[in-house]
């Protein structure tokens, strides 16, 4: 009977996601991943290389799933921030994985840098057309939007609630909404 390598790979990635979200790269154990996946430890190395390469694959897949689930909309940053918040609420392990990545590998990977650059370019275009406030540099706005969407997953002592989501959306609205410019010398706006 032929082995189903795609099913084995999927089980390995699912087990690795859980392991890395719980323990980070340094604390993760390939033995536990293999046991959880019901796979031969050797197959992990055959399919993914070393533990760091397996982490890279898990992170890449999480980023791709996130991009599919939460498409970036430079012209509607409040909705984007709310969708990121919802995505993280649906699976809190995602934020743990991101935090481990930031702690253990603070430099952006090539796919992360490319995704950020695409979003930054789209945001600059939205600023140039007046659909997003241009007071702040696009990269600063993007960083703030992402940070606000993630805030309750990184700093709060209580689980995120719909009220927290509303606060995120409101804050991003205030940040991104084009400001009216003064029209005359009387101070009216």
């Amino acid at each position: 009977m032929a082995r189903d390598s795609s099913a084995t790979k999927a089980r390995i990635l699912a087990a690795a996601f859980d392991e890395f979200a719980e323990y980070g790269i340094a604390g993760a154990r390939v033995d536990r991943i293999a046991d959880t996946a019901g796979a031969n430890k050797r197959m992990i190395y055959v399919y993914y290389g070393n533990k760091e390469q397996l982490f890279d694959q898990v992170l890449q897949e999480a980023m791709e799933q996130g991009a599919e689930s939460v498409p970036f909309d430079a012209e509607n940053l409040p909705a984007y921030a709310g969708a990121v918040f919802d995505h993280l609420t649906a699976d809190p392990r995602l934020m743990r994985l991101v935090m481990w990545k930031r702690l253990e590998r603070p430099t952006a990977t090539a796919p992360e840098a490319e995704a950020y650059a695409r979003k930054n370019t789209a945001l600059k275009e939205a600023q140039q057309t007046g659909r997003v406030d241009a007071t702040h540099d696009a990269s600063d706005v993007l960083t703030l939007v992402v940070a606000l969407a993630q805030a309750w997953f990184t700093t709060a002592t209580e689980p995120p609630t719909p009220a927290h989501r509303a606060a995120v959306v409101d804050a991003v609205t205030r940040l991104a909404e084009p400001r009216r410019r003064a029209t005359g010398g009387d101070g009216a706006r």
Side-chain angles (χ1 to χ4, degrees), residues 72-80 119-145 171-181:
F72 182 70
D73 185 352
E75 295 181 23
N76 194 349
L77 293 175
Y80 173 72
K119 291 174 185 174
N120 195 49
T121 298
L123 188 49
K124 282 181 184 178
E125 290 171 4
Q127 286 180 318
Q128 290 169 351
T129 60
R131 291 184 294 255
V132 173
D133 184 72
T135 302
H136 303 288
D137 185 73
S139 64
D140 294 338
V141 172
L142 182 55
T143 298
L144 288 167
V145 168
V172 173
T173 298
R174 292 169 190 259
L175 174 68
E177 188 173 87
R179 294 187 175 103
R180 295 186 181 168
R181 306 291 178 220

Side-chain angles (χ1 to χ4, degrees), residues 62-161:
M63 285 177 49
E64 288 172 3
Q65 290 171 0
E68 289 174 14
S69 299
V70 186
F72 182 70
D73 185 352
E75 295 181 23
N76 194 349
L77 293 175
Y80 173 72
V84 169
F85 185 96
D86 294 341
H87 186 67
L88 295 174
T89 300
D91 191 350
R93 298 172 309 154
L94 291 166
M95 198 66 233
R96 289 182 57 87
L97 186 69
V98 168
M99 295 303 290
W100 280 116
K101 194 276 181 198
R102 287 180 183 163
L103 285 169
E104 296 182 296
R105 288 190 181 163
T107 304
T109 63
E112 287 173 307
E114 290 168 14
Y116 186 88
R118 281 192 305 275
K119 291 174 185 174
N120 195 49
T121 298
L123 188 49
K124 282 181 184 178
E125 290 171 4
Q127 286 180 318
Q128 290 169 351
T129 60
R131 291 184 294 255
V132 173
D133 184 72
T135 302
H136 303 288
D137 185 73
S139 64
D140 294 338
V141 172
L142 182 55
T143 298
L144 288 167
V145 168
V146 171
L148 286 165
Q150 296 175 349
W152 269 271
F153 305 92
T154 60
T155 60
T157 58
E158 60 188 77
T161 67

Side-chain angles (χ1 to χ4, degrees), residues 51-72:
K51 181 170 67 169
E52 289 75 17
Q53 291 169 312
L54 177 59
F55 178 83
D56 291 342
Q57 185 63 40
V58 167
L59 185 64
Q60 179 63 32
E61 290 207 5
M63 285 177 49
E64 288 172 3
Q65 290 171 0
E68 289 174 14
S69 299
V70 186
F72 182 70

Side-chain angles (χ1 to χ4, degrees), residues 3-21 28-59 61 93 97:
R3 290 184 187 159
D4 184 359
S5 65
S6 61
T8 302
K9 288 179 181 179
R11 288 194 319 273
I12 290 169
L13 286 175
F17 185 97
D18 289 340
E19 182 78 7
F20 289 127
R29 298 291 172 256
V30 174
D31 289 338
R32 282 194 301 247
I33 294 169
D35 288 345
T36 302
N40 182 316
K41 180 179 170 181
R42 185 177 64 79
M43 295 313 294
I44 293 174
Y45 295 108
V46 168
Y47 292 144
Y48 299 104
N50 61 32
K51 181 170 67 169
E52 289 75 17
Q53 291 169 312
L54 177 59
F55 178 83
D56 291 342
Q57 185 63 40
V58 167
L59 185 64
E61 290 207 5
R93 298 172 309 154
L97 186 69

